[in-house]
Amino acid sequence: TTEQEAVRAAVERVADRMADEKEYLTDLDSAIGDADHGANMNRGFRAVHEKVSEMDDAPPDELVKTVGITLVSEVGGAAGPLYGGSFMTASAELGDGITAESSVAFAEVFLEKVKDRGDAPVGAKTMVDAITPAVHTYKKSIEEDDLKPVEALTKAVDACERGVNFTTPIRATKGRASYLGWRSVGHQDPGATSTLFIVKSIRETAV
Ligand code: ADP
Ligand code: MG
Ligand code: MG
């Protein structure tokens, strides 16, 4: 179906983007972490792409669930279980298909699960700073501004980008970067940056 194709296309685009940005993400993580975020995300999404390519007739929710399971098993560190766990749990919202309504539910559960598992509020200099504005903007664009999912995704990408930029001047209080305390100020968060690549890739392949 078109929906299955859309999920496959998004997965492929994310995997390509993570391969292209591997060094960039690693550079960001080397400044305030342990220099593995690029390798983690590239390895994870390469495995995701392989797995999803083998699932010929799987419905979209199963494909997305597989994205999550594979990220959890292939990516160690903080980002693997956070991204992977959220894809796994939120995939259930797509059981009756991908619609404007179910995609909003997916986005909301995704954010909720990252916050449950990572316990990071907005402003801790993590992926939550990118996911939160993206999800809130997506929801508002659909529910209040009556935009189509593709248009809402464009707004979400812009909001996500502002969230990424917001991580630079602030001090990390969660994750590995928090060990640096004030020395984390002035560096862009790698996880927020990979979130932007994911949201952008979904926008670029959305139909
Ligand atoms: P690790 O820090 O274990 O090496 P990665 O480098 O793959 O894992 O991922 C680091 C990213 O994970 C950070 O840039 C940050 O965005 C995100 N992160 C770390 N801890 C948390 C947390 N508690 N909640 C949300 N995101 C977090
Ligand atoms: Mg790291
Ligand atoms: Mg690590």
Side-chain angles (χ1 to χ4, degrees):
T1 68
T2 340
E3 290 177 13
Q4 289 164 315
E5 289 316 311
V7 174
R8 284 174 205 289
V11 162
E12 189 168 354
R13 179 76 70 137
V14 176
D16 284 349
R17 188 78 198 251
M18 292 306 170
D20 290 346
E21 308 285 357
K22 185 180 157 196
E23 274 185 44
Y24 175 56
L25 290 174
T26 289
D27 285 349
L28 293 177
D29 198 30
S30 73
I32 54 171
D34 57 355
D36 62 357
H37 193 60
N40 288 346
M41 297 304 288
N42 183 44
R43 188 177 63 253
F45 275 97
R46 213 170 46 209
V48 163
H49 183 228
E50 270 170 34
K51 277 266 158 56
V52 163
S53 308
E54 292 162 2
M55 297 173 68
D56 281 343
D57 288 324
D61 62 319
E62 265 179 51
L63 293 174
V64 176
K65 190 172 181 187
T66 300
V67 171
I69 292 169
T70 309
L71 289 177
V72 170
S73 68
E74 295 288 329
V75 185
L82 288 170
Y83 279 134
S86 279
F87 275 114
M88 272 173 68
T89 307
S91 68
E93 304 300 323
L94 306 176
D96 297 325
I98 305 178
T99 60
E101 199 184 7
S102 74
S103 62
V104 169
F106 174 90
E108 288 190 292
V109 172
F110 191 98
L111 170 62
E112 207 173 285
K113 289 294 144 187
V114 169
K115 294 183 85 170
D116 280 357
R117 289 194 174 85
D119 194 36
V122 167
K125 198 181 184 94
T126 71
M127 60 174 73
V128 169
D129 297 343
I131 300 170
T132 303
V135 169
H136 288 180
T137 299
Y138 186 69
K139 181 181 166 73
K140 176 187 178 286
S141 298
I142 299 262
E143 292 183 353
E144 288 173 39
D145 305 335
D146 278 324
L147 297 186
K148 295 194 183 77
V150 185
E151 299 162 340
L153 274 167
T154 301
K155 302 278 183 195
V157 166
D158 291 346
C160 191
E161 197 152 26
R162 288 193 290 274
V164 171
N165 293 331
F166 163 70
T167 66
T168 303
I170 64 177
R171 175 175 64 105
T173 53
K174 284 284 176 185
R176 222 170 250 287
S178 66
Y179 306 159
L180 292 179
W182 290 103
R183 278 181 295 141
S184 65
V185 167
H187 300 283
Q188 184 176 310
D189 180 61
T193 308
S194 61
T195 293
L196 178 60
F197 296 147
I198 294 171
V199 178
K200 266 191 173 158
S201 298
I202 294 171
R203 162 65 188 86
E204 285 161 5
T205 52
V207 284

